[in-house]
Tab-separated table of all heavy atoms in Angstrom:
chain	number	residue	atom	x	y	z
A	14	GLU	N	-40.257	-1.489	11.873
A	14	GLU	CA	-41.529	-1.624	11.162
A	14	GLU	C	-41.670	-2.979	10.477
A	14	GLU	O	-42.786	-3.483	10.288
A	14	GLU	CB	-41.667	-0.498	10.138
A	14	GLU	CG	-41.862	0.869	10.769
A	14	GLU	CD	-41.847	2.004	9.757
A	14	GLU	OE1	-41.503	1.726	8.575
A	14	GLU	OE2	-42.165	3.140	10.123
A	15	LEU	N	-40.532	-3.605	10.133
A	15	LEU	CA	-40.581	-4.932	9.510
A	15	LEU	C	-41.196	-5.971	10.442
A	15	LEU	O	-41.658	-7.019	9.985
A	15	LEU	CB	-39.168	-5.378	9.100
A	15	LEU	CG	-38.532	-4.635	7.928
A	15	LEU	CD1	-37.096	-5.123	7.719
A	15	LEU	CD2	-39.344	-4.821	6.654
A	16	GLY	N	-41.201	-5.674	11.736
A	16	GLY	CA	-41.815	-6.603	12.674
A	16	GLY	C	-43.297	-6.807	12.451
A	16	GLY	O	-43.864	-7.813	12.892
A	17	ARG	N	-43.946	-5.898	11.750
A	17	ARG	CA	-45.374	-6.042	11.467
A	17	ARG	C	-45.635	-6.851	10.195
A	17	ARG	O	-46.786	-7.155	9.885
A	17	ARG	CB	-46.032	-4.657	11.327
A	17	ARG	CG	-45.995	-3.822	12.589
A	17	ARG	CD	-46.611	-4.550	13.772
A	17	ARG	NE	-48.014	-4.899	13.515
A	17	ARG	CZ	-48.705	-5.728	14.285
A	17	ARG	NH1	-48.146	-6.310	15.335
A	17	ARG	NH2	-49.973	-6.001	14.004
A	18	HIS	N	-44.578	-7.203	9.454
A	18	HIS	CA	-44.746	-7.902	8.178
A	18	HIS	C	-45.582	-9.180	8.293
A	18	HIS	O	-46.435	-9.434	7.418
A	18	HIS	CB	-43.385	-8.219	7.571
A	18	HIS	CG	-43.460	-9.006	6.290
A	18	HIS	ND1	-43.904	-8.465	5.099
A	18	HIS	CD2	-43.177	-10.316	6.032
A	18	HIS	CE1	-43.886	-9.403	4.166
A	18	HIS	NE2	-43.456	-10.523	4.691
A	19	PRO	N	-45.390	-10.036	9.321
A	19	PRO	CA	-46.189	-11.270	9.380
A	19	PRO	C	-47.687	-11.020	9.501
A	19	PRO	O	-48.485	-11.930	9.245
A	19	PRO	CB	-45.652	-11.973	10.644
A	19	PRO	CG	-44.287	-11.415	10.844
A	19	PRO	CD	-44.388	-9.987	10.397
A	20	HIS	N	-48.089	-9.811	9.883
A	20	HIS	CA	-49.507	-9.514	10.072
A	20	HIS	C	-50.151	-8.903	8.830
A	20	HIS	O	-51.342	-8.554	8.853
A	20	HIS	CB	-49.672	-8.557	11.260
A	20	HIS	CG	-49.149	-9.113	12.544
A	20	HIS	ND1	-49.914	-9.884	13.397
A	20	HIS	CD2	-47.908	-9.041	13.119
A	20	HIS	CE1	-49.182	-10.255	14.441
A	20	HIS	NE2	-47.970	-9.745	14.301
A	21	HIS	N	-49.385	-8.776	7.744
A	21	HIS	CA	-49.884	-8.195	6.505
A	21	HIS	C	-49.827	-9.218	5.378
A	21	HIS	O	-49.110	-10.212	5.453
A	21	HIS	CB	-49.055	-6.966	6.106
A	21	HIS	CG	-49.258	-5.794	7.007
A	21	HIS	ND1	-50.214	-4.843	6.793
A	21	HIS	CD2	-48.612	-5.430	8.145
A	21	HIS	CE1	-50.165	-3.945	7.746
A	21	HIS	NE2	-49.201	-4.268	8.590
A	22	GLY	N	-50.546	-8.942	4.310
A	22	GLY	CA	-50.428	-9.758	3.118
A	22	GLY	C	-49.114	-9.468	2.415
A	22	GLY	O	-48.409	-8.504	2.730
A	23	LEU	N	-48.791	-10.280	1.445
A	23	LEU	CA	-47.524	-10.142	0.739
A	23	LEU	C	-47.381	-8.802	0.042
A	23	LEU	O	-46.279	-8.264	-0.089
A	23	LEU	CB	-47.372	-11.275	-0.280
A	23	LEU	CG	-47.185	-12.682	0.297
A	23	LEU	CD1	-47.149	-13.703	-0.842
A	23	LEU	CD2	-45.910	-12.757	1.128
A	24	LEU	N	-48.486	-8.233	-0.403
A	24	LEU	CA	-48.420	-6.999	-1.180
A	24	LEU	C	-48.798	-5.771	-0.366
A	24	LEU	O	-48.812	-4.652	-0.905
A	24	LEU	CB	-49.336	-7.113	-2.404
A	24	LEU	CG	-49.013	-8.263	-3.358
A	24	LEU	CD1	-50.010	-8.277	-4.518
A	24	LEU	CD2	-47.591	-8.149	-3.885
A	25	ASP	N	-49.127	-5.946	0.884
A	25	ASP	CA	-49.565	-4.819	1.699
A	25	ASP	C	-48.647	-4.674	2.907
A	25	ASP	O	-48.810	-5.344	3.910
A	25	ASP	CB	-51.015	-5.027	2.155
A	25	ASP	CG	-51.532	-3.832	2.946
A	25	ASP	OD1	-50.846	-2.785	2.942
A	25	ASP	OD2	-52.612	-3.942	3.558
A	26	GLY	N	-47.673	-3.792	2.793
A	26	GLY	CA	-46.760	-3.569	3.894
A	26	GLY	C	-47.020	-2.270	4.618
A	26	GLY	O	-46.232	-1.848	5.466
A	27	ARG	N	-48.146	-1.600	4.294
A	27	ARG	CA	-48.446	-0.315	4.902
A	27	ARG	C	-48.950	-0.498	6.329
A	27	ARG	O	-49.777	-1.371	6.602
A	27	ARG	CB	-49.489	0.431	4.071
A	27	ARG	CG	-49.013	0.837	2.682
A	27	ARG	CD	-50.154	1.372	1.859
A	27	ARG	NE	-51.161	0.327	1.623
A	27	ARG	CZ	-52.273	0.528	0.932
A	27	ARG	NH1	-52.525	1.730	0.429
A	27	ARG	NH2	-53.136	-0.463	0.757
A	28	LEU	N	-48.458	0.329	7.237
A	28	LEU	CA	-48.887	0.264	8.625
A	28	LEU	C	-50.058	1.209	8.855
A	28	LEU	O	-50.081	2.329	8.336
A	28	LEU	CB	-47.738	0.652	9.557
A	28	LEU	CG	-46.420	-0.120	9.426
A	28	LEU	CD1	-45.480	0.266	10.568
A	28	LEU	CD2	-46.655	-1.613	9.406
A	29	ASP	N	-51.015	0.760	9.638
A	29	ASP	CA	-52.108	1.659	9.995
A	29	ASP	C	-51.700	2.493	11.208
A	29	ASP	O	-50.590	2.353	11.746
A	29	ASP	CB	-53.409	0.880	10.235
A	29	ASP	CG	-53.296	-0.127	11.382
A	29	ASP	OD1	-52.456	0.080	12.294
A	29	ASP	OD2	-54.048	-1.108	11.378
A	30	ALA	N	-52.591	3.371	11.646
A	30	ALA	CA	-52.264	4.288	12.727
A	30	ALA	C	-51.920	3.545	14.016
A	30	ALA	O	-50.988	3.929	14.747
A	30	ALA	CB	-53.430	5.248	12.960
A	31	ALA	N	-52.661	2.469	14.308
A	31	ALA	CA	-52.402	1.717	15.528
A	31	ALA	C	-51.017	1.062	15.480
A	31	ALA	O	-50.297	1.028	16.486
A	31	ALA	CB	-53.476	0.649	15.723
A	32	GLU	N	-50.651	0.555	14.310
A	32	GLU	CA	-49.336	-0.082	14.174
A	32	GLU	C	-48.209	0.935	14.269
A	32	GLU	O	-47.173	0.678	14.882
A	32	GLU	CB	-49.270	-0.842	12.851
A	32	GLU	CG	-50.138	-2.089	12.838
A	32	GLU	CD	-50.169	-2.741	11.469
A	32	GLU	OE1	-50.385	-2.028	10.471
A	32	GLU	OE2	-49.982	-3.969	11.397
A	33	ARG	N	-48.416	2.099	13.671
A	33	ARG	CA	-47.396	3.139	13.801
A	33	ARG	C	-47.249	3.571	15.258
A	33	ARG	O	-46.137	3.828	15.728
A	33	ARG	CB	-47.760	4.332	12.916
A	33	ARG	CG	-47.581	4.066	11.422
A	33	ARG	CD	-47.616	5.361	10.627
A	33	ARG	NE	-48.902	6.030	10.736
A	33	ARG	CZ	-49.943	5.802	9.936
A	33	ARG	NH1	-49.845	4.901	8.961
A	33	ARG	NH2	-51.072	6.461	10.096
A	34	GLY	N	-48.364	3.612	15.963
A	34	GLY	CA	-48.307	3.935	17.382
A	34	GLY	C	-47.554	2.875	18.168
A	34	GLY	O	-46.802	3.193	19.097
A	35	LEU	N	-47.750	1.593	17.801
A	35	LEU	CA	-47.038	0.501	18.461
A	35	LEU	C	-45.542	0.618	18.224
A	35	LEU	O	-44.738	0.415	19.140
A	35	LEU	CB	-47.557	-0.841	17.938
A	35	LEU	CG	-46.842	-2.099	18.451
A	35	LEU	CD1	-46.966	-2.200	19.973
A	35	LEU	CD2	-47.409	-3.345	17.782
A	36	VAL	N	-45.153	0.957	17.007
A	36	VAL	CA	-43.732	1.127	16.690
A	36	VAL	C	-43.128	2.227	17.558
A	36	VAL	O	-42.074	2.050	18.183
A	36	VAL	CB	-43.540	1.446	15.190
A	36	VAL	CG1	-42.111	1.921	14.916
A	36	VAL	CG2	-43.861	0.224	14.346
A	37	GLU	N	-43.805	3.371	17.607
A	37	GLU	CA	-43.261	4.507	18.354
A	37	GLU	C	-43.229	4.239	19.852
A	37	GLU	O	-42.260	4.590	20.534
A	37	GLU	CB	-44.069	5.773	18.054
A	37	GLU	CG	-44.005	6.218	16.600
A	37	GLU	CD	-42.579	6.406	16.104
A	37	GLU	OE1	-41.733	6.933	16.850
A	37	GLU	OE2	-42.302	5.992	14.950
A	38	SER	N	-44.276	3.614	20.391
A	38	SER	CA	-44.297	3.341	21.829
A	38	SER	C	-43.233	2.305	22.200
A	38	SER	O	-42.644	2.383	23.295
A	38	SER	CB	-45.687	2.847	22.262
A	38	SER	OG	-46.016	1.599	21.648
A	39	THR	N	-42.967	1.358	21.305
A	39	THR	CA	-41.936	0.356	21.572
A	39	THR	C	-40.551	0.992	21.534
A	39	THR	O	-39.699	0.699	22.376
A	39	THR	CB	-42.030	-0.799	20.557
A	39	THR	OG1	-43.330	-1.386	20.620
A	39	THR	CG2	-40.983	-1.869	20.863
A	40	LEU	N	-40.328	1.872	20.571
A	40	LEU	CA	-39.058	2.594	20.519
A	40	LEU	C	-38.860	3.415	21.785
A	40	LEU	O	-37.761	3.450	22.356
A	40	LEU	CB	-39.018	3.499	19.290
A	40	LEU	CG	-38.838	2.806	17.941
A	40	LEU	CD1	-39.062	3.791	16.794
A	40	LEU	CD2	-37.447	2.178	17.823
A	41	ASP	N	-39.924	4.057	22.257
A	41	ASP	CA	-39.838	4.829	23.497
A	41	ASP	C	-39.511	3.923	24.681
A	41	ASP	O	-38.673	4.254	25.527
A	41	ASP	CB	-41.152	5.569	23.755
A	41	ASP	CG	-41.323	6.800	22.884
A	41	ASP	OD1	-40.303	7.318	22.380
A	41	ASP	OD2	-42.472	7.230	22.695
A	42	ARG	N	-40.192	2.775	24.738
A	42	ARG	CA	-39.995	1.868	25.881
A	42	ARG	C	-38.569	1.365	25.956
A	42	ARG	O	-38.024	1.134	27.053
A	42	ARG	CB	-40.957	0.668	25.761
A	42	ARG	CG	-40.805	-0.363	26.887
A	42	ARG	CD	-41.153	0.265	28.208
A	42	ARG	NE	-40.888	-0.624	29.331
A	42	ARG	CZ	-39.704	-0.758	29.929
A	42	ARG	NH1	-38.648	-0.080	29.471
A	42	ARG	NH2	-39.549	-1.561	30.955
A	43	LEU	N	-37.917	1.214	24.807
A	43	LEU	CA	-36.549	0.702	24.774
A	43	LEU	C	-35.513	1.824	24.679
A	43	LEU	O	-34.335	1.549	24.429
A	43	LEU	CB	-36.378	-0.258	23.589
A	43	LEU	CG	-37.283	-1.487	23.573
A	43	LEU	CD1	-36.868	-2.439	22.461
A	43	LEU	CD2	-37.269	-2.214	24.908
A	44	ASP	N	-35.971	3.057	24.886
A	44	ASP	CA	-35.066	4.219	24.802
A	44	ASP	C	-34.313	4.233	23.469
A	44	ASP	O	-33.103	4.481	23.414
A	44	ASP	CB	-34.058	4.218	25.960
A	44	ASP	CG	-34.739	4.436	27.308
A	44	ASP	OD1	-35.719	5.193	27.345
A	44	ASP	OD2	-34.292	3.842	28.307
A	45	ALA	N	-35.039	3.967	22.395
A	45	ALA	CA	-34.405	3.848	21.079
A	45	ALA	C	-34.924	4.863	20.073
A	45	ALA	O	-34.526	4.824	18.914
A	45	ALA	CB	-34.627	2.432	20.531
A	46	ARG	N	-35.778	5.793	20.498
A	46	ARG	CA	-36.335	6.744	19.539
A	46	ARG	C	-35.241	7.625	18.928
A	46	ARG	O	-35.248	7.910	17.726
A	46	ARG	CB	-37.393	7.617	20.198
A	46	ARG	CG	-38.037	8.600	19.223
A	46	ARG	CD	-38.962	9.561	19.939
A	46	ARG	NE	-40.206	8.914	20.315
A	46	ARG	CZ	-41.292	8.869	19.530
A	46	ARG	NH1	-41.239	9.405	18.316
A	46	ARG	NH2	-42.395	8.295	19.938
A	47	GLU	N	-34.274	8.047	19.738
A	47	GLU	CA	-33.247	8.969	19.244
A	47	GLU	C	-32.343	8.338	18.185
A	47	GLU	O	-31.751	9.044	17.379
A	47	GLU	CB	-32.398	9.480	20.408
A	47	GLU	CG	-33.156	10.421	21.344
A	47	GLU	CD	-32.254	11.024	22.386
A	47	GLU	OE1	-31.031	10.701	22.388
A	47	GLU	OE2	-32.747	11.810	23.224
A	48	ILE	N	-32.223	7.020	18.201
A	48	ILE	CA	-31.355	6.352	17.228
A	48	ILE	C	-32.144	5.755	16.072
A	48	ILE	O	-31.561	5.211	15.135
A	48	ILE	CB	-30.517	5.238	17.900
A	48	ILE	CG1	-31.439	4.178	18.524
A	48	ILE	CG2	-29.582	5.824	18.944
A	48	ILE	CD1	-30.691	2.978	19.078
A	49	ALA	N	-33.467	5.846	16.132
A	49	ALA	CA	-34.307	5.162	15.137
A	49	ALA	C	-34.115	5.708	13.733
A	49	ALA	O	-34.342	5.000	12.755
A	49	ALA	CB	-35.784	5.265	15.532
A	50	GLY	N	-33.691	6.967	13.614
A	50	GLY	CA	-33.490	7.537	12.288
A	50	GLY	C	-32.142	7.220	11.674
A	50	GLY	O	-31.905	7.505	10.488
A	51	GLU	N	-31.251	6.607	12.452
A	51	GLU	CA	-29.932	6.248	11.940
A	51	GLU	C	-29.990	4.908	11.203
A	51	GLU	O	-30.844	4.061	11.490
A	51	GLU	CB	-28.932	6.140	13.089
A	51	GLU	CG	-28.812	7.394	13.941
A	51	GLU	CD	-28.210	8.540	13.170
A	51	GLU	OE1	-27.392	8.287	12.261
A	51	GLU	OE2	-28.561	9.707	13.470
A	52	ARG	N	-29.081	4.721	10.264
A	52	ARG	CA	-29.004	3.420	9.583
A	52	ARG	C	-28.524	2.366	10.571
A	52	ARG	O	-27.608	2.609	11.360
A	52	ARG	CB	-28.055	3.503	8.395
A	52	ARG	CG	-28.589	4.366	7.260
A	52	ARG	CD	-27.598	4.484	6.129
A	52	ARG	NE	-28.132	5.314	5.046
A	52	ARG	CZ	-27.433	5.702	3.997
A	52	ARG	NH1	-26.147	5.347	3.886
A	52	ARG	NH2	-27.990	6.435	3.052
A	53	LEU	N	-29.146	1.194	10.510
A	53	LEU	CA	-28.812	0.143	11.468
A	53	LEU	C	-27.321	-0.205	11.411
A	53	LEU	O	-26.694	-0.447	12.446
A	53	LEU	CB	-29.645	-1.113	11.186
A	53	LEU	CG	-29.533	-2.215	12.248
A	53	LEU	CD1	-30.244	-1.802	13.518
A	53	LEU	CD2	-30.113	-3.543	11.740
């Protein structure tokens, strides 16, 4: 989710629905959804 930081203002780090969808679809594309809840 930090990948969206450059597209937000300094005080607004909240993701909208489209951005959350982008995060989830990218995790799916990289077969990383199952590990996404683990600490890096």
Side-chain angles (χ1 to χ4, degrees):
E14 291 174 351
L15 290 176
R17 296 305 300 168
H18 177 71
H20 300 272
H21 290 270
L23 292 176
L24 301 179
D25 183 11
R27 294 171 296 180
L28 305 188
D29 61 26
E32 289 174 312
R33 288 194 297 272
L35 176 61
V36 168
E37 297 305 320
S38 64
T39 302
L40 287 170
D41 283 339
R42 178 63 186 85
L43 300 188
D44 294 325
R46 182 187 285 270
E47 291 186 0
I48 60 174
E51 303 293 330
R52 291 177 180 173
L53 188 71

